[in-house]
Amino acid sequence: MDKIWGQACAELEQSVGPNNYNHWIKPLRLTAVDDGAARFVSPTRFISDWVNRHFAKDIMAVLSRNGLAVERLRFDVGSTAASPAAPAAGASPAGEVATTRAPRADLGAPLDPRYTFGNFVVGKPNELAHAAARRVAEGGPVGFNPLFLYGGVGLGKTHLMHAIAHDYQARHPSAQVLYLSAEQFMYRFVQALRESSIMDFKSMFRNVNMLMVDDVQFIAGKDSTQEEFFHTFNALVDQGKQIVISADRAPAEIKGLEERIKSRLSCGLIVDLHPTTYELRLGILQSKTEVFRAQQPDLEIGAGVLEFLAHRITTNVRVLEGALQRLFAHASLLRREITLEVAQECLADILRTNDRKINIDDIQRKVAEHYNIRLADMMGPKRARNVARPRQIAMYLSKQLTSRSLPEIGRRFGGRDHTTIMHGVRKIEELLVEDSSMVEDIAVLKRMLEA
Ligand code: ADP
Ligand code: MG
């Protein structure tokens, strides 16, 4: 039996690939063939379930080539080191093995009680993400699996994820909701490897009802963590469990992330949080001010202060919040009304760094959005006019609005040569002379970038 299995293993390693083989098939031991079934001992229930679901066909084909034609596989769970003639001592029939239920606190990160739907201000830039988050939080057959939220720093991804978790947990008190950052996922994974508790790690993750992984771009380039994430992801999706992922950019744009992961991440619903608008910023400031005022009713805010902040602090909501917090601290210490002058003085440093510095990233993003092409096409090799022209416009704006040199710009456009950038810039300059719609486009883009 061992000999046949040894031969089969060599072939299986070829057909399923070394990773799958090492992970799933190598831990098995063939113990007997009876009643048309090949009997294996597997170290855990999880492995046998997985193998049965994913590799049964491969295994039966290989066994049959080696003279053991069987119709199905059977698994006993127990020590695979025992005698090959019979199921190992202590083995119990598959199906009777209790799976461990993970204590959430062991794995996940705590949820911020302030990050609720109630505290989330909805506006044009985030309404779609908010609606999708609400829907997922309701549970039930939504079909957005995974929900992939992406957007720049401080636009509310983490807030929305926590809100989903709070809301879903309130509706499904017995459900296991696991929220953690991709960094924590990696840390737990490495720890499990070190402590040889990888099987526990796997089964704990696979026992949750909803898995939320924040800032998934972190695992790009970290190969074994990606691999593990991929398996966890697939196992949960196969079981119809909800997954929510966030990242700072769309799956296709995350460098160093395996293609198969990108494509799996793209299977559900992808929604982005757009940069905030003036209206949304003002809305957020008003809502946070109400919270402060509830605690300190005598605080006075001068006319135009919130508008001024919404206008001047455009980077992200976290900075906006920080500014407001500082203003209130200032006001309550000095017992003074917050006038526009007080605000300007107290926030001088924040306001200075928010003075608009346009960078190539912004330009590429805005231009890609404007012409409805993918951001990746800015760097990519496509030469079709509908992609090449916007790319040249972005090159032109980069030259005009930043202090970057041509070779530097070339590097940011997928490593192009500086002569290519020069050619692109000239082309747009020519078009500006003869094509009034180009003049208009450039003006609109500049206005958006300088806003
Ligand atoms: P991200 O995870 O996208 O970097 P966060 O979710 O951490 O951003 O948001 C940063 C801060 O801004 C948090 O304190 C969050 O509560 C707040 N915030 C962001 N968007 C909103 C919003 N629409 N309404 C209220 N607060 C928001
Ligand atoms: Mg975040």
Side-chain angles (χ1 to χ4, degrees), residues 171-280:
R171 291 165 195 265
H172 307 90
S174 63
Q176 297 246 14
V177 180
L178 181 60
Y179 164 88
L180 79 177
S181 66
E183 190 176 2
Q184 285 165 323
F185 181 86
M186 185 186 83
Y187 175 74
R188 303 271 184 248
F189 173 58
V190 171
Q191 189 182 36
L193 286 177
R194 205 173 47 223
E195 295 169 357
S196 310
S197 56
I198 198 72
M199 287 306 143
D200 294 339
F201 172 89
K202 283 176 187 297
S203 62
M204 283 197 278
F205 269 96
R206 283 157 175 80
N207 268 312
V208 302
N209 299 87
M210 184 185 274
L211 175 66
M212 318 178 100
V213 182
D214 207 349
D215 291 318
V216 80
Q217 74 276 356
F218 182 85
I219 62 165
K222 312 214 165 49
D223 291 343
S224 51
T225 303
Q226 278 193 45
E227 180 82 23
E228 186 56 37
F229 174 72
F230 184 66
H231 291 309
T232 306
F233 184 98
N234 286 340
L236 288 172
V237 170
D238 285 351
Q239 297 172 50
K241 309 285 184 60
Q242 179 69 49
I243 297 189
V244 183
I245 305 282
S246 85
D248 63 353
R249 62 200 75 184
E253 264 113 50
I254 303 178
K255 284 199 200 78
L257 195 66
E258 281 183 49
E259 285 307 321
R260 55 181 187 155
I261 299 185
K262 287 183 190 176
S263 80
R264 285 288 335 223
L265 288 176
S266 308
C267 285
L269 179 69
I270 305 182
V271 277
D272 56 340
L273 290 132
H274 293 271
T276 56
T277 55
Y278 171 78
E279 289 78 14
L280 178 60

Side-chain angles (χ1 to χ4, degrees), residues 29-32 82-87:
R29 170 172 220 137
L30 179 64
T31 56
S83 140

